[in-house]
Amino acid sequence: MTVKELYLKLSERIPESLREEWDNDGVMCCPDDSAEVRRALVCLDVTEEIVDYAIESGFDLIVSHHPLIFRPLSAVSSDNHISRKVIKLLTNGVSVFSFHTRADKVSGGVNDLLCDIIGISDAKPFGEGLMGRVGTVDELSLEDFAYRLKELLSADGIRFADGYNTVSRVAVLGGDGKDFVKAAIEAGADTYVSGRISYNLMEEAAEMGINLVEAGHYFTEQPVCSFFYNVIKSADPSLDVETTSSNLIKLI
C-alpha cells in the first residue's frame, strides 16, 4: 500500500471532519506519496529520538498523536529543532501522519479508551466539539479512585484536588484539559480527570464543587497508540507495525 493510499484508508476511520479548526494534523511530511509503506512506527510524539530510531530501523512511516508540525515554520533549516526533524525525515524517505483532535473525538480514540481503562459506563461526549466523555463508575472515595487510576494508567504520579464528592460520575479528557472544567461541571460530573488542568483551577476545586484529577498528559494519551496500531493493521494486515514510547519527561 502506498503512503497516499494508507493515509486515505486511515482517514476513513479517523475522519478529517473531526479535526478542530485550530488544529494541524494529517500528513505532516511526505517525501513521496507513491512510495510503498512496509513498516510503520506508532508513537505519541515525534521526538528527535523517535526520528533517529525510525531512520536507523528502516521504517517508512511514523504515525503520531501530537502533530510533528503544529505552528507554521518560518524557515526550514537545522537551526530550528522542528525543521531539523523534517529535513532528516524527508532526506531519509520517512513520512509522518499525525492524528490529533480527530483522534480525541473519534469512536474508540483517546477518550473512549480512557473510559474503557477506568471502567466508565454509559459514556457520552461532552464539552465544546464533544471531545471529552462523561459517564458513571461504581461509587468510591476520591483517594481510592486516584490510587486505582495511577495503577490503571501506569502513571508516574497523580495530583488531585478534593471537591468533597464521592466519585461516581466521571468526566475525562486526555491531555491538557483545563478548558473543559466548566463543561464537566455542566455535564453533571462530580469528578474530572485530565492529563493537566492548572494550578488555579485545582486550588478552586472545592469552591467549584468538583473533584479534579491530573493523571499526566502522556499517561492519559499514550493508550491511543494501541488504537492507531489496530487501525493501521486493519487497513493493511501485511504491514509491520511497532508501537514505542516517546516520553522524555521524568518525575523523581
Side-chain angles (χ1 to χ4, degrees):
M1 187 173 286
T2 68
V3 174
K4 183 175 182 178
E5 289 168 342
L6 182 58
Y7 178 73
L8 292 174
K9 196 74 175 174
L10 298 185
S11 291
E12 290 177 9
R13 178 65 180 86
I14 319 169
E16 292 182 349
S17 60
L18 296 177
R19 181 198 297 140
E20 288 289 290
E21 288 183 6
W22 51 263
D23 196 14
N24 184 51
D25 79 354
V27 179
M28 297 283 105
C29 70
C30 178
D32 179 4
D33 67 5
S34 66
E36 287 293 317
V37 179
R38 297 153 300 168
R39 303 193 70 205
L41 181 64
V42 175
C43 58
L44 202 68
D45 308 274
V46 188
T47 63
E48 191 150 21
E49 187 176 87
I50 293 290
V51 170
D52 291 340
Y53 176 70
I55 293 168
E56 291 164 6
S57 303
F59 287 95
D60 311 293
L61 172 69
I62 298 172
V63 176
S64 72
H65 178 47
H66 293 138
L68 167 63
I69 302 169
F70 187 68
R71 296 177 180 83
L73 296 172
S74 57
V76 180
S77 74
S78 58
D79 292 336
N80 176 274
H81 66 289
I82 303 297
S83 60
R84 182 170 65 241
K85 289 187 284 188
V86 172
I87 292 168
K88 278 187 182 183
L89 290 160
L90 293 175
T91 302
N92 288 277
V94 182
S95 297
V96 176
F97 303 161
S98 299
F99 299 97
H100 193 211
T101 48
R102 52 173 146 160
D104 291 319
K105 296 181 186 180
V106 75
S107 172
V110 171
N111 294 304
D112 282 336
L113 282 167
L114 267 181
C115 288
D116 291 343
I117 292 167
I118 295 170
I120 296 172
S121 59
D122 301 319
K124 294 178 174 56
F126 82 95
E128 186 177 349
L130 302 177
M131 198 177 298
R133 300 289 188 270
V134 60
T136 59
V137 298
D138 293 336
E139 191 172 293
L140 72 170
S141 71
L142 177 58
E143 188 167 338
D144 286 345
F145 178 76
Y147 275 114
R148 183 167 171 267
L149 186 64
K150 183 177 187 293
E151 182 179 352
L152 290 170
L153 295 179
S154 300
D156 58 10
I158 299 286
R159 291 184 176 89
F160 61 92
D162 203 334
Y164 304 108
N165 300 311
T166 299
V167 178
S168 63
R169 185 165 175 79
V170 180
V172 298
L173 190 133
D176 188 342
K178 62 180 179 295
D179 295 333
F180 286 75
V181 174
K182 182 181 178 183
I185 295 170
E186 291 172 348
D190 52 57
T191 304
Y192 176 51
V193 177
S194 189
R196 284 288 176 263
I197 301 177
S198 82
Y199 173 80
N200 290 337
L201 289 170
M202 295 284 280
E203 282 287 290
E204 295 165 3
E207 297 168 14
M208 293 186 291
I210 187 168
N211 301 325
L212 295 178
V213 183
E214 284 189 349
H217 196 130
Y218 176 84
F219 299 102
T220 56
E221 292 191 322
Q222 174 63 11
V224 79
C225 289
S226 65
F227 169 75
F228 292 145
Y229 177 95
N230 290 331
V231 172
I232 295 167
K233 290 295 281 186
S234 294
D236 187 347
S238 71
L239 289 183
D240 178 11
V241 185
E242 180 181 318
T243 299
T244 190
S245 170
S246 61
N247 189 23
L248 298 177
I249 301 170
K250 309 301 179 186
L251 180 68
I252 59 171

